Amino acid sequence: QVQLVESGGGAVQAGGSLRLSCAASGHTFSSYVMGWFRQAPGKEREFVAYISWSGGSTYYADSVKGRFTISRDNAKNTVYLQMNSLKPEDTAVYYCAAPRHAYGSNWYLQRAYDYWGQGTQVTVSS
């Protein structure tokens, strides 16, 4: 059974940093794209970032580009999201996601992913 478990969320002041982790179990995702999404209160879930299987390619939403960094450690079956210069508008539940297959496209879309974690809350105060 595939499980994705996020951790590292919390409450910080604007300008602060957090590092989220997503540990996968039940399947080895070292050959798969992994993604991060977020959902703010009253809003739809939106794309944040994804990373290629090797970590050599990354892609970010414009709203987080230059502030967030996605990375992965395939030996640990874990993907990370380093979040710097946090803003109140970054407040959301953050989810990691993985696809069922290694092939695919449009990794910035939710429908590209089959497995989701339970989410971790990030709250940024002004």
Side-chain angles (χ1 to χ4, degrees):
Q1 182 180 356
V2 174
Q3 276 195 316
L4 302 175
V5 180
E6 301 97 336
S7 61
V12 296
Q13 291 190 327
S17 298
L18 284 172
R19 188 194 194 204
L20 306 184
S21 299
C22 172
S25 61
H27 186 76
T28 299
F29 287 103
S30 58
S31 299
Y32 296 66
V33 167
M34 298 287 290
W36 283 97
F37 289 77
R38 67 185 182 185
Q39 186 168 19
K43 296 186 177 181
E44 294 189 353
R45 190 156 55 184
E46 65 176 6
F47 167 75
V48 175
Y50 70 74
I51 186 168
S52 65
W53 69 271
S54 67
S57 295
T58 56
Y59 188 78
Y60 299 91
D62 287 343
S63 58
V64 307
K65 201 173 297 182
R67 300 187 297 121
F68 290 12
T69 303
I70 188 171
S71 61
R72 66 191 299 163
D73 185 337
N74 285 338
K76 296 181 178 180
N77 221 19
T78 300
V79 64
Y80 304 96
L81 187 68
Q82 177 67 44
M83 305 186 296
N84 298 330
S85 302
L86 282 162
K87 304 176 181 179
E89 51 263 44
D90 295 318
T91 295
V93 177
Y94 284 71
Y95 300 90
C96 70
R100 181 176 290 116
H101 303 291
Y103 55 86
S105 60
N106 297 327
W107 299 111
Y108 54 91
L109 298 176
Q110 295 183 57
R111 64 171 182 259
Y113 300 88
D114 302 287
Y115 305 108
W116 295 82
Q118 82 290 347
T120 186
Q121 176 71 47
V122 172
T123 303
V124 185
S125 59
S126 56

